[in-house]
Amino acid sequence: SLLGPVVSGAAALLCSRRRGEMRGQGQISRRLVVLVVVAGLLLAPAAAVDVQAVLAPFPDLAGFARLLASSPVARELAGRSSLTLLAVPNADLPQSPSAFAAAAGADLADVLRYHVLLEYLSPADLRRLPATGKLVTTLFQTTGRASADLGAVNVTAAGPSLGVVRSPAPFPGSNATVLGSVTSVPYNLSVLAVDGLIVPSGFDLAASESRPPAAVNITRVLADARGFNVAASMLEASGVAEEFEGDERGAGITVFVPTDDAFASLPAGDRLQSLPADRKAVVLRFHVLHSYYPLGSLESIVNPLQPTLATEYASQAGRFTLNITRSNGSVAIDTGVVQATITRTVFDQNPVAVFAVSKVLLPKEMFTRADSAAVVAAALPPPPAASNSMPPEPPESARRPPTKLSSPPALRGGARNDTAVSPPSSSTAKATAIGRWCIELLYVLPVLLPLV
């Protein structure tokens, strides 16, 4: 619609030039340049803004920024502009955002999409809002899962510098107060702080809180996520996956799943697949924490040394533990043999979190580090037999270095009555040599006497 008037104007100027109605060629050229510049400004798309970079200077929003980065929402925002982001400060975030969303029957990613308004709203715009408010579409509306206007929020003024964001269908947890403006990139991105997460409309919060969550089939989750065929087959064949359902009912579980590429990159000397079934099950349990940890909790974990499900089966405390730390912007996992990192979130819905890891987690209790570049598997040796007796002494022939003397060829293997022939002693050998020397001297002496 904008290009039509521009083209028409340019054509009119060219025609008038031909008729000689313009005063000079220079004036026509200047007008054409102005029209082209204006058309470029009107038709050029607004530059997308890196939301993560905008939020980085604000530590009070670090938790909300991590939630965005660990969800698909960060990628969806990469190609968009003219947005208003409703960011929740660390102090106002629930202890477990994933559990908060799951209690309302919503996915955490959808909750985050509900905090992205597809319109630039500055504090001045909030003050000019009508008394009835303004319905603003959110990113959640673009998913196709919101009917009618349930993918929008109603923004109303609540004072000289505050506003309120409400869901069109009010229910507990469906509104938040705007605390103020954090920053802006006119007119592409406006960041407003709000005092809590807002749940999209259409979810029965009370019913969700009273309904126990269904058990998560980890094997099915891995099959749907793709790229975890080896791990899924090992879990199903070992029967370890069946243990997870009971653990979910307690404090939840966190599962670290190596990708197919991680299994393919194991050293050639690795013997993981040749381990007995019970030892292989220990390795699989070593990939599971007996508590629910979303990514944000792992990044800020207080005690980095965490017991695993394999720890419960160990005879001694402190065995089969994972050292979890934050390194170079990602979560690092050190087993004492290998160091892996979390590459992405596969599934996160309280009480289950599933993360992809870059390497197979090999416990130091069952594997050894051959050198700094490769890991060679070594199955646990069987425990030594309890005995106070000393090991048998080796035979005399084994303890004594072999002698260079040997029996004559005629006697080798030719002893009578199957008796062994021992080599001559050193004294016998010396006597034999002296006697032979004396005999030779008797033969030479007659020849030497005439010369004397």
Side-chain angles (χ1 to χ4, degrees):
S1 60
L2 294 173
L3 187 59
V6 173
V7 174
S8 300
L13 284 175
L14 290 174
C15 292
S16 62
R17 177 186 176 187
R18 292 171 185 170
R19 292 194 298 268
E21 295 178 358
M22 301 302 296
R23 292 183 178 179
Q25 184 175 359
Q27 187 177 2
I28 298 174
S29 300
R30 286 193 298 273
R31 291 189 178 182
L32 284 174
V33 171
V34 172
L35 286 172
V36 171
V37 171
V38 172
L41 292 175
L42 291 174
L43 298 178
V49 177
D50 187 348
V51 176
Q52 297 298 318
V54 172
L55 296 180
F58 303 98
D60 289 344
L61 300 177
F64 189 81
R66 284 196 296 266
L67 290 177
L68 286 176
S70 62
S71 72
V73 181
R75 295 190 299 271
E76 296 171 11
L77 295 180
R80 290 184 173 271
S81 58
S82 297
L83 304 173
T84 298
L85 182 64
L86 306 177
V88 183
N90 300 336
D92 296 305
L93 274 175
Q95 185 175 6
S96 174
S98 298
F100 174 84
D107 182 74
L108 179 59
D110 283 342
V111 172
L112 295 175
R113 292 184 181 102
Y114 208 55
H115 289 69
V116 180
L117 312 185
L118 302 184
E119 184 176 331
Y120 180 85
L121 293 176
S122 66
D125 295 328
L126 293 179
R127 290 191 292 269
R128 290 193 294 265
L129 290 175
T132 56
K134 179 179 182 179
L135 204 62
V136 182
T137 303
T138 72
L139 188 63
F140 177 54
Q141 184 71 43
T142 65
T143 63
R145 292 190 292 274
S147 58
D149 60 355
L150 295 183
V153 292
N154 189 33
V155 185
T156 58
S161 59
L162 297 178
V164 176
V165 182
R166 292 185 176 89
S167 170
F171 61 95
S174 65
N175 63 78
T177 300
V178 178
L179 302 176
S181 176
V182 177
T183 185
S184 63
V185 183
Y187 292 90
N188 285 346
L189 177 65
S190 174
V191 181
L192 304 177
V194 294
D195 65 351
L197 288 175
I198 316 169
V199 179
S201 301
F203 300 104
D204 188 350
L205 184 63
S208 300
E209 289 178 342
S210 61
R211 183 175 60 250
V216 177
N217 188 324
I218 303 296
T219 306
R220 184 175 302 172
V221 168
L222 297 179
D224 294 341
R226 302 180 183 276
F228 301 97
N229 296 327
V230 178
S233 61
M234 289 181 65
L235 282 173
E236 188 171 4
S238 65
V240 174
E242 298 176 359
E243 302 174 4
F244 295 164
E245 183 173 346
D247 293 316
E248 293 174 22
R249 301 299 183 186
I253 58 172
T254 301
V255 186
F256 302 113
V257 186
T259 62
D260 291 340
D261 292 338
F263 280 100
S265 63
L266 283 172
D270 174 74
R271 294 195 299 272
L272 174 62
Q273 296 296 342
S274 62
L275 287 176
D278 57 338
R279 298 288 176 83
K280 194 179 296 184
V282 172
V283 176
L284 294 175
R285 294 187 187 102
F286 185 63
H287 287 70
V288 183
L289 304 182
H290 199 180
S291 293
Y292 167 68
Y293 289 103
L295 186 61
S297 298
L298 288 176
E299 290 175 334
S300 58
I301 197 166
V302 176
N303 182 14
L305 202 63
Q306 289 292 316
T308 65
L309 288 188
T311 307
E312 300 179 5
Y313 291 83
S315 58
Q316 298 177 359
R319 291 167 57 86
F320 295 101
T321 58
L322 294 175
N323 191 13
I324 302 174
T325 57
R326 181 171 174 81
S327 175
N328 298 325
S330 60
V331 177
I333 304 174
D334 191 345
T335 72
V337 177
V338 296
Q339 290 183 341
T341 56
I342 292 179
T343 57
R344 66 185 177 98
T345 301
V346 180
F347 182 88
D348 185 355
Q349 183 171 324
N350 191 25
V352 179
V354 181
F355 301 101
V357 290
S358 59
K359 293 183 180 180
V360 181
L361 305 181
L362 304 177
K364 64 180 181 295
E365 290 82 0
M366 297 177 63
F367 297 82
T368 59
R369 190 191 302 273
D371 49 45
S372 60
V375 176
V376 179
L380 277 173
S387 175
N388 295 327
S389 60
M390 298 295 292
E393 289 288 336
E396 181 69 21
S397 59
R399 290 188 287 109
R400 186 179 59 198
T403 177
K404 294 183 179 179
L405 298 176
S406 60
S407 59
L411 297 179
R412 290 177 186 172
R416 297 179 181 179
N417 299 329
D418 297 328
T419 57
V421 179
S422 59
S425 63
S426 58
S427 58
T428 305
K430 289 181 180 179
T432 303
I434 294 173
R436 185 178 300 171
W437 183 81
C438 293
I439 294 173
E440 291 177 355
L441 182 61
L442 291 176
Y443 279 102
V444 177
L445 188 61
V447 179
L448 296 176
L449 285 176
L451 297 177
V452 176

